[in-house]
């Protein structure tokens, strides 16, 4: 029985002590295999906005650190950004699921991500017995970024595409991991907001999955754990364990759809190929789902290298 099965059963009936002990012993016996290794964990707005999910996540992160694993947290904050913009009477425009950001909007995004969301995570980790430090890509020149463009088909009846400037939405192009290594030696848990700096001092909002991937590569992480918003995307991947080559074939033959989802999967594949690591996509709506990764029949979708 996996940890997620145990969670489901817990909602409907009392769990026998023997089953609890069996799962706990499996988790604790597998964790030592990863002592000293680094996990990059990308958490999402659904988990951050739910008190139960968020609290269990925080305690799981602290537990990993106490047991000798080095977690690095990368977060988004779309719900918080939406809330602040609404409070200020400002609206957002999206193109291809990307939020367009002018200079004024970018200031609000930076405030929400680096301020309220980042500090909330740091504060809760510290309150749970851990030691966390909040960072963004501008700290220690951590994440250098450049502006991206996107294409928009104006009419589905023709193939005419328009190239759009996405404002201050960028992609990470370079990582300076020195500050992360320093923090790791200091026994702190880094909590990173996906904000980067440009070559001329600009500030860019960056997709959190891309940030998690490039950081995982820079620190040679053994695992990248992605908290998913919805099963709709996860269900496009056939099976609980898939290789990078099989994933690429599914994308090529149109079995996996969604431009943004495919971009994220490409980032995950790059991390696997360069780090020889594993990417786990987990359902963020299940409490304690990270502990499930240490059970043999875990419910995550695991993307692995082709030689595994």
């Amino acid at each position: 029985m996996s940890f997620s099965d145990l969670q489901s059963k817990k909602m409907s009936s009392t769990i026998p002590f023997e089953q609890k002990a069996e799962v706990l012993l499996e988790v604790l016996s597998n964790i030592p295999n990863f002592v000293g290794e680094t996990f990059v964990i990308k958490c999402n707005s659904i988990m951050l906005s739910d008190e139960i999910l968020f609290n269990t996540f925080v305690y799981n992160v602290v537990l990993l650190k106490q047991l000798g694993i080095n977690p690095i947290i990368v977060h988004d904050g779309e719900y918080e950004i939406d809330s602040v913009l609404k409070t200020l009477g400002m609206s957002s425009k999206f193109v291809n699921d990307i939020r367009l950001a002018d200079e004024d909007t970018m200031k609000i995004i930076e405030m929400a991500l680096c301020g309220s969301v980042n500090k909330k995570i740091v504060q809760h980790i510290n309150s749970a017995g851990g030691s966390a430090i909040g960072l963004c890509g501008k700290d220690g020149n951590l994440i250098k970024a450049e502006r991206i463009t996107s294409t928009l088909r104006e009419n589905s009846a023709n193939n005419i595409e328009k190239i759009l400037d996405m404002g201050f939405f960028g992609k990470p192009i370079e990582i300076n991991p020195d500050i992360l290594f320093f923090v790791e030696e200091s026994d702190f848990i880094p909590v990173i907001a996906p904000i980067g700096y440009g070559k001329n001092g600009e500030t860019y909002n960056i997709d959190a999955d891309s940030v998690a991937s490039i950081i995982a590569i820079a620190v040679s992480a053994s695992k990248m754990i992605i908290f998913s918003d919805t099963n709709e995307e996860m269900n496009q991947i056939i099976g609980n364990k898939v290789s990078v080559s099989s994933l690429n074939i599914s994308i090529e033959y149109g079995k996996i759809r969604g431009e943004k989802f495919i971009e994220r999967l490409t980032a995950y594949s790059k991390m696997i190929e360069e780090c020889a690591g594993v990417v786990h996509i987990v359902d963020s709506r299940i409490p304690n789902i990270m502990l499930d990764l240490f059970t043999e029949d875990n419910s995550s979708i695991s993307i692995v290298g082709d030689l595994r």
Side-chain angles (χ1 to χ4, degrees):
M1 177 179 291
S2 71
F3 198 91
S4 58
D5 292 334
L6 201 62
Q7 288 286 341
S8 300
K9 190 170 182 179
K10 184 177 180 180
M11 297 178 182
S12 59
S13 63
T14 302
I15 306 167
F17 172 77
E18 291 81 4
Q19 290 185 0
K20 290 182 182 179
E22 180 183 349
V23 174
L24 181 60
L25 287 173
E26 184 178 1
V27 170
L28 292 178
S29 65
N30 285 327
I31 283 180
N33 296 328
F34 300 96
V35 169
E37 297 189 6
T38 298
F39 292 3
V40 174
I41 305 165
K42 181 259 175 177
C43 56
N44 62 5
S45 292
I46 288 180
M47 185 270 292
L48 292 173
S49 61
D50 184 286
E51 183 177 357
I52 293 176
L53 295 174
F54 180 57
N55 285 334
T56 57
F57 167 79
V58 164
Y59 280 103
N60 288 173
V61 168
V62 172
L63 176 63
L64 292 181
K65 187 67 175 180
Q66 290 173 340
L67 293 174
I69 294 170
N70 299 310
I72 296 177
I73 313 301
V74 177
H75 64 85
D76 65 15
E78 294 303 308
Y79 287 4
E80 183 68 19
I81 293 170
D82 287 338
S83 176
V84 175
L85 289 174
K86 184 177 180 181
T87 299
L88 296 175
M90 301 171 67
S91 60
S92 290
K93 181 179 179 181
F94 289 82
V95 174
N96 296 336
D97 294 325
I98 296 174
R99 187 193 302 270
L100 297 179
D102 57 20
E103 192 170 353
D104 289 337
T105 305
M106 187 61 237
K107 291 177 181 177
I108 303 302
I109 293 172
E110 183 177 11
M111 178 182 70
L113 289 175
C114 302
S116 52
V117 178
N118 190 273
K119 301 316 173 191
K120 172 185 176 181
I121 300 172
V122 168
Q123 179 184 358
H124 278 72
I125 290 176
N126 291 340
S127 297
S131 297
I133 183 169
L135 300 168
C136 77
K138 295 163 71 174
D139 295 319
N141 293 329
L142 177 59
I143 307 172
K144 187 175 183 179
E146 66 180 13
R147 185 172 301 195
I148 69 168
T149 58
S150 186
T151 57
L152 178 66
R153 183 168 295 179
E154 295 181 317
N155 189 330
S156 59
N158 58 50
N159 292 324
I160 299 176
E161 293 184 336
K162 183 178 180 181
I163 298 177
L164 299 177
D165 184 341
M166 305 304 290
F168 291 92
F169 190 88
K171 64 179 181 180
I173 59 172
E174 186 179 324
I175 290 288
N176 176 11
D178 291 348
I179 190 171
L180 297 179
F181 294 137
F182 174 77
V183 169
E184 182 178 304
E185 291 174 359
S186 303
D187 210 33
F188 280 92
I189 299 170
V191 180
I192 302 171
I195 295 292
Y197 70 95
K199 64 179 181 179
N200 296 316
E202 312 96 320
T203 299
Y204 287 110
N205 181 24
I206 311 172
D207 175 69
D209 291 81
S210 298
V211 170
S213 178
I214 197 170
I215 285 177
I217 292 170
V219 299
S220 298
S222 64
K223 288 185 184 291
M224 187 159 70
I225 303 169
I226 305 296
F227 281 76
S228 175
D229 290 341
T230 172
N231 282 335
E232 184 176 344
E233 290 182 340
M234 296 174 67
N235 289 340
Q236 294 188 58
I237 301 175
I238 306 301
N240 277 12
K241 189 173 184 179
V242 60
S243 68
V244 170
S245 59
S246 296
L247 195 64
N248 290 337
I249 291 171
S250 295
I251 293 172
E252 181 180 353
Y253 283 90
K255 295 180 181 179
I256 295 177
R257 298 175 299 278
E259 181 179 344
K260 194 170 181 181
F261 184 43
I262 291 173
E263 287 178 358
R264 294 203 301 270
L265 291 176
T266 301
Y268 304 160
S269 297
K270 185 175 181 182
M271 176 269 177
I272 293 165
E273 291 171 341
E274 297 201 22
C275 295
V278 177
V279 173
H280 298 283
I281 305 175
V282 301
D283 189 339
S284 63
R285 296 165 296 182
I286 301 176
N288 295 301
I289 189 62
M290 275 200 295
L291 298 184
D292 183 41
L293 298 178
F294 297 99
T295 62
E296 183 177 351
D297 300 320
N298 68 76
S299 62
S300 76
I301 292 176
S302 300
I303 306 175
V304 300
D306 294 328
L307 297 179
R308 290 179 179 269

